[in-house]
Amino acid sequence: MDYDTIAAISTPIGEGAISMVRLSGPEAVFAADQLFRGGKSLKEVDSHTIHYGKIVDPDTGNTIEEVMVSVMRKPKTFTREDVVEINCHGGLTSVNRVLELVLDQHVRLAEPGEFTKRAFLNGRIDLSQAEAVMDLIRAKTDQAMNVAMGQMEGKLSTLIRSLRGQLLEILAAVEVNIDYPEYDDAEVMTNTILHEKGSEVRRQLDRILSTARQGKILREGLSTVIVGRPNVGKSSLLNQLVHESKAIVTNVPGTTRDVIEEYVNVRGVPLKLIDTAGIRDTDDIVEKIGVSRSKELLRSAELVLLLINGNEALTEEDRGLFQLIGKTPAIILVNKADLPQKASFDEIKQLAGGNPVLQTSMIDEKGLEELEKAIASLFFSHDVTTNGEAYVSNTRHIALLKQARSAINDALDAAEQGLPVDMTQIDIKRTWDVLGEIVGDTVSDSLINELFSKFCLGK
Ligand code: GDP
Ligand code: ZN
């Protein structure tokens, strides 16, 4: 299918500094050639070659920018259309100017995610891979990037396809049984196949779902709230975390206007530090926003870092904060370990329940290693490596996988209870359908539009 030609400013993944204008569509080469002055006409060059030259304004003949232009003809391109990438080394103004000129050549400005959408519509990638492109852009740590990369390379898709293949085999067996009911062996065989293959599918669904929590944390960050009385050292801790962080990738304004989220990377665990109105200045959540809103934030938190001033005796306020934490996983930091210790360590231990208690000093930088270790081990029981493993992190995928598991459960239950095979057939078919939605074989146009509208411009 042929679409119109689109263009947008696009920054290649992993190469932040370079800007390029990417064109895709049947007129991509022609349009770029109208503006390009180099050794050869772009219409004559081989596919997948790069050319040095200039972009000129065709009206005035003025040179706008020195460029490297890549020409990639279909079908071996990301969108499976003709693609031209104009790499500009100048600043944003000249890139914008190049884009403007391109858009004068009967080329339309791409919508967010439209290149990826075309790759999907033209069959180059499936839906879970397209979603991985979006995750990759937003990845906050290297590990998160690896997960997205694995998904983009099709690890999840491969797994889903193999499960669907197994379900088809079961369906085929059930079909035989329905077609030849008088054939007794068929029923025995069907039940054996159903049991063996169905259990195997369920086992694999369980396994992939067991990675969901970690995958989601890697993708979205672990919501973390720092609490403690005034002057216990919350700002100092935050500064240490930010300072130590190997890569603070993004500062994303929160979804609600009064909340700011800041990402720090602790041994590959992205912590999403949450606070109201600027965590650096006013980290004291309880003081700033009052107890009821703090309770709410603490409830949605996945990790609480509670600071106690070791240099002072425990106060009622301290004890109250332990109450506020409730069941949320927490790490208790008895801070100011460099000063004489007056807080009762025994009482703290007792109030902490099973949560780890660490002694820290922000002045001596003591206990920070231990804190990092505690965070990492709290959330990753084993090392998060993505070699070979398919991780699931996308909320949509997780929901569908759960539906699939419940459907296959129903099928296995029905078979065990000796219900007629056509009952089983419905459940197996449902499992197959739901899994198809992950890779996009069975999704509606409106869902596709919604998913792609969430992408960044130029991807
Ligand atoms: P917050 O109000 O909880 O954010 O506390 P701050 O981080 O602003 O720290 C309050 C004061 O305690 C500052 O003067 C810090 O330098 C000091 N402080 C923080 N952590 C330590 C520590 O571990 N040891 C000592 N001696 N002082 C600390
Ligand atoms: Zn502070």
Side-chain angles (χ1 to χ4, degrees), residues 11-12 21 32 36 61 114 231 262 266 272 275 314 385 409 415 444:
T11 307
V21 174
F36 181 76
E114 199 169 3
N231 273 319
E262 177 146 24
V266 175
K272 182 172 74 179
D275 192 29
L314 282 178
T385 51
N409 260 337
S444 69

Side-chain angles (χ1 to χ4, degrees), residues 50-346:
I50 300 185
H51 306 274
Y52 170 78
K54 290 168 180 163
I55 294 293
V56 298
D57 183 337
D59 289 342
T60 63
N62 289 342
T63 299
I64 304 301
E65 172 75 331
E66 269 181 58
V67 292
M68 302 289 288
V69 176
S70 313
V71 174
M72 291 161 280
R73 291 201 174 77
K74 68 178 183 182
K76 284 189 178 164
T77 66
F78 179 61
T79 54
R80 283 207 173 153
E81 301 174 335
D82 286 351
V83 169
V84 175
E85 291 177 353
I86 306 175
N87 293 281
C88 309
H89 52 66
L92 207 59
T93 353
S94 57
V95 181
N96 273 320
R97 187 77 191 99
V98 171
L99 177 63
E100 270 173 38
L101 290 174
V102 166
L103 296 178
D104 285 341
Q105 311 299 316
H106 305 286
V107 172
R108 175 170 64 76
L109 183 65
E111 287 161 24
E114 199 169 3
F115 292 104
T116 312
K117 185 176 178 179
R118 285 194 177 185
F120 169 68
L121 292 174
N122 291 324
R124 165 76 170 68
I125 56 176
D126 70 29
L127 200 55
S128 87
Q129 289 172 303
E131 289 172 294
V133 174
M134 183 159 67
D135 283 351
L136 201 55
I137 296 161
R138 296 185 179 163
K140 291 167 189 71
T141 64
D142 290 350
Q143 280 89 337
M145 200 171 262
N146 285 340
V147 170
M149 199 74 97
Q151 191 178 320
M152 194 170 75
E153 286 165 358
K155 276 185 187 146
L156 181 64
S157 315
T158 307
L159 181 74
I160 299 299
R161 296 230 152 78
S162 123
L163 291 178
R164 292 185 94 207
Q166 295 173 58
L167 291 165
L168 276 187
E169 285 179 42
I170 302 175
L171 281 174
V174 171
E175 203 65 52
V176 170
N177 202 291
I178 291 171
D179 291 349
Y180 303 97
E182 69 284 356
Y183 196 60
D184 275 355
D185 283 355
E187 194 175 325
V188 175
M189 213 177 70
T190 302
N191 277 326
T192 314
I193 289 176
L194 179 61
H195 186 76
E196 276 175 12
K197 289 208 189 292
S199 307
E200 176 58 18
V201 169
R202 178 167 62 184
R203 201 185 59 76
Q204 295 198 37
L205 285 173
D206 279 338
R207 199 184 45 112
I208 178 84
L209 273 167
S210 73
T211 70
R213 183 163 159 276
Q214 291 165 344
K216 217 163 164 312
I217 289 169
L218 284 177
R219 179 173 182 258
E220 291 169 10
L222 186 69
S223 321
T224 305
V225 173
I226 302 176
V227 292
R229 285 193 289 124
N231 273 319
V232 290
K234 297 181 297 296
S235 299
S236 311
L237 171 65
L238 185 81
N239 286 335
Q240 289 286 355
L241 286 175
V242 170
H243 183 71
E244 297 258 306
S245 183
K246 310 295 176 288
I248 309 152
V249 189
T250 34
N251 283 315
V252 185
T255 39
T256 51
R257 202 172 307 155
D258 59 335
V259 170
I260 287 184
E261 296 168 354
E262 177 146 24
Y263 290 91
V264 300
N265 176 0
V266 175
R267 300 197 176 192
V269 185
L271 299 191
K272 182 172 74 179
L273 295 164
I274 307 160
D275 192 29
T276 57
I279 196 159
R280 274 171 207 282
D281 305 323
T282 54
D283 53 290
D284 197 338
I285 292 172
V286 175
E287 197 175 46
K288 180 97 198 333
I289 58 176
V291 172
S292 72
R293 178 90 171 87
S294 312
K295 269 189 186 155
E296 202 180 294
L297 261 185
L298 283 174
R299 235 196 322 270
S300 63
E302 292 165 298
L303 174 65
V304 176
L305 301 178
L306 168 59
L307 276 83
I308 301 290
N309 185 348
N311 184 229
E312 292 171 10
L314 282 178
T315 68
E316 278 315 306
E317 206 180 334
D318 288 323
R319 297 188 183 95
L321 287 171
F322 277 102
Q323 297 295 318
L324 268 186
I325 293 173
K327 288 193 170 62
T328 310
I331 299 173
I332 317 302
L333 305 177
V334 184
N335 194 35
K336 309 204 183 184
D338 53 298
L339 299 175
Q341 294 300 285
K342 296 177 188 159
S344 156
F345 203 74
D346 283 345

Side-chain angles (χ1 to χ4, degrees), residues 331 356 358 369-379:
I331 299 173
L358 305 173
E369 280 278 294
E370 286 77 4
L371 174 61
E372 291 187 4
K373 268 188 215 156
I375 292 172
S377 70
L378 206 50
F379 289 93

